[in-house]
């Protein structure tokens, strides 16, 4: 698109007996993606990023973009979120504690590190771990101040965070991946 970091898309062709354009896949800001095919499965798969959080409370360079997996669905002629490939266990305590330290050490200038890790947990099916991470990483008694001069309490931040997840074009898959989101009525 000739933009500084947007937008990238792929033209996907069937090069079989009757070559044809199947679809255009928009990957937004993801310039480098990995395409692969699994043995004994039909269709193409892609590892890319969800850019729904670009510029949310942070400049682009600091905007987290969680990793996602998409699989081609021949019936709908679309790439769909592959939650089976995305599901992962919660990282061990050593990793979580390392992330918590990083959040606290950068709280004043880069609070976006908090939601980078919350998204990483959410996009691997670990919503409860994401909320627990927020509770333990958030410096006691402090507000979050973001570059837009917005001031967040923990409660206000979590409400806004859920609202932004709802706006992702992959929101339905993220809900499916995180059964715990149903319990908090995140769709209402």
């Amino acid at each position: 698109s000739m933009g500084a970091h947007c937008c990238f898309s792929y033209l996907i062709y069937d090069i079989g007996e009757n070559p044809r354009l199947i679809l255009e896949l928009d990957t937004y800001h993801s310039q480098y993606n990995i395409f692969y095919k699994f043995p004994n499965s039909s269709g193409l798969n892609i590892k890319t990023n969800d850019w729904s959080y670009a510029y949310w409370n942070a400049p682009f360079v600091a905007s987290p973009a969680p990793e996602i997996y998409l699989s081609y669905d021949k019936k709908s002629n679309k790439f769909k979120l592959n939650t089976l490939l995305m599901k992962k266990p919660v990282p061990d305590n050593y990793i979580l504690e390392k992330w918590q330290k990083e959040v606290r050490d950068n709280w004043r200038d880069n609070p976006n590190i908090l939601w980078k890790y919350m998204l990483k947990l959410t996009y691997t099916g670990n919503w409860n771990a994401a909320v627990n991470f927020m509770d333990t990483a958030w410096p006691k008694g402090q507000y979050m101040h973001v570059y837009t001069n917005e001031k967040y309490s923990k409660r206000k931040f979590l409400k806004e965070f859920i609202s932004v997840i709802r706006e992702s074009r992959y929101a339905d898959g993220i809900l499916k991946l995180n059964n715990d989101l149903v319990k908090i009525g995140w769709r209402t």
Side-chain angles (χ1 to χ4, degrees), residues 94-162:
Y94 171 77
I95 298 294
L96 294 172
E97 288 167 4
K98 186 175 157 186
W99 292 354
Q100 289 166 3
K101 181 178 179 347
E102 184 182 356
V103 168
R104 287 190 206 106
D105 289 350
N106 292 282
W107 187 253
R108 182 176 161 85
D109 297 321
N110 293 301
N112 53 289
I113 294 169
L114 174 70
W115 64 90
K116 172 179 84 172
Y117 290 127
M118 289 179 70
L119 286 168
K120 188 176 188 82
L121 291 164
T122 303
Y123 275 60
T124 55
N126 297 296
W127 172 251
N128 277 341
V131 174
N132 289 337
F133 177 77
M134 179 193 70
D135 284 336
T136 57
W138 195 290
K140 291 195 186 314
Q142 291 191 30
Y143 285 94
M144 176 191 291
H145 298 273
V146 296
Y147 94 114
T148 58
N149 294 322
E150 184 83 24
K151 177 179 162 182
Y152 287 102
S153 65
K154 219 189 279 191
R155 182 182 175 99
K156 180 180 176 185
F157 171 79
L158 185 58
K159 185 177 178 180
E160 183 74 18
F161 182 71
I162 292 168

Side-chain angles (χ1 to χ4, degrees), residues 13-31:
Y13 288 91
D14 178 345
I15 56 171
E17 200 170 293
N18 299 312
R20 65 185 173 86
L21 175 66
I22 296 175
L23 62 88
E24 181 176 358
L25 175 64
D26 185 357
T27 60
Y28 293 92
H29 306 290
S30 292
Q31 182 177 4

